[in-house]
Amino acid sequence: MKELVEYIATSLADAPDQVKVEESQRGHEVAIRLSLAPDDMGRLIGKQGRVANAMRLLLKVAAAKQGKHAMLEIEERTIP
């Protein structure tokens, strides 16, 4: 599931090298944290959140096939 989110995010981002995906599991729950460059936030979230919601839906379907529940968090990456 991490690979799915990473593939979609890097395909949409202007700075794919800034995309970072972390996955953590607790039982049947999977939490995926996606962080990316501030300039890519709007592109990844989309108008009225449509792209982000589509990513969450795809992730939910992929998780359901494995008998799990998945959650996607999108956050802005701070550059030092």
Side-chain angles (χ1 to χ4, degrees), residues 3 6 14 48 80:
E3 294 82 15
E6 189 171 17
D14 282 335
Q48 299 178 353

Side-chain angles (χ1 to χ4, degrees), residues 4-18:
L4 174 66
V5 173
E6 189 171 17
Y7 176 76
I8 294 170
T10 55
S11 297
L12 294 173
D14 282 335
D17 57 323
Q18 296 290 321

Side-chain angles (χ1 to χ4, degrees), residues 4-56:
L4 174 66
V5 173
E6 189 171 17
Y7 176 76
I8 294 170
T10 55
S11 297
L12 294 173
D14 282 335
D17 57 323
Q18 296 290 321
V19 173
K20 184 177 179 186
V21 181
E22 297 174 357
E23 180 177 6
S24 60
Q25 291 188 343
R26 261 189 254 157
H28 291 294
E29 292 189 13
V30 179
I32 297 182
R33 177 174 286 149
L34 170 64
S35 59
L36 56 149
D39 294 339
D40 289 329
M41 287 296 289
R43 171 170 279 154
L44 195 79
I45 293 173
K47 289 185 179 181
Q48 299 178 353
R50 289 182 182 162
V51 175
N53 287 335
M55 286 179 64
R56 286 185 176 107

